[in-house]
């Protein structure tokens, strides 16, 4: 359980880093900024994909934590 909670914190920090990097609060906002050329598309698209993948990872971790508790 401690390992899963640690992984969850790390994943949440990864998303926070992306938010800070692009000064956005949501994935939608980041995508909009990319499309409007407010940020360079590279590496922003890759970071957006990483954000989405990390959210999926977080969901799986939370599900596993709930199952254990």
């Amino acid at each position: 359980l401690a390992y899963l909670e640690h992984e969850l914190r790390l994943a949440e920090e990864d998303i926070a880093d992306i938010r800070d990097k692009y000064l956005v609060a949501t994935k939608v906002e980041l995508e909009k900024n990319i499309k409007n050329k407010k940020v360079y598309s590279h590496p922003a698209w890759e970071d957006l994909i990483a954000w989405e993948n990390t959210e999926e990872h977080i969901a799986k971790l939370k599900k596993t934590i709930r199952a254990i508790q």
Side-chain angles (χ1 to χ4, degrees), residues 3 9 11 13-14 16 18 24-25 29 34 37 41 53 62 67:
Y3 172 76
R9 282 190 302 276
E13 288 174 11
D14 288 343
I18 296 171
V24 296
E29 188 178 354
I34 295 168
K37 301 186 188 272
S41 61
N53 291 338
K62 286 181 177 181

Side-chain angles (χ1 to χ4, degrees), residues 3-5 8-11 17 19-22 24 26-27 35-36 38-39 42 44 46 49 63 66-67 69:
Y3 172 76
L4 293 172
E5 290 172 340
L8 180 60
R9 282 190 302 276
L10 291 177
D17 289 344
R19 284 186 176 127
D20 290 345
K21 182 177 180 179
Y22 296 101
V24 296
T26 66
K27 294 182 303 186
K35 289 180 179 179
N36 292 333
K38 290 184 179 181
V39 297
H42 182 78
E46 288 82 1
I49 292 167
K63 183 179 177 182
R66 281 192 303 270
Q69 294 175 333

Side-chain angles (χ1 to χ4, degrees), residues 28-66:
V28 174
E29 188 178 354
L30 177 55
E31 185 172 358
K32 184 177 176 181
N33 286 348
I34 295 168
K35 289 180 179 179
N36 292 333
K37 301 186 188 272
K38 290 184 179 181
V39 297
Y40 289 110
S41 61
H42 182 78
W45 280 117
E46 288 82 1
D47 288 336
L48 181 60
I49 292 167
W51 188 338
E52 292 168 348
N53 291 338
T54 303
E55 282 185 340
E56 290 175 20
H57 182 61
I58 287 171
K60 289 177 185 176
L61 287 170
K62 286 181 177 181
K63 183 179 177 182
T64 304
I65 289 169
R66 281 192 303 270

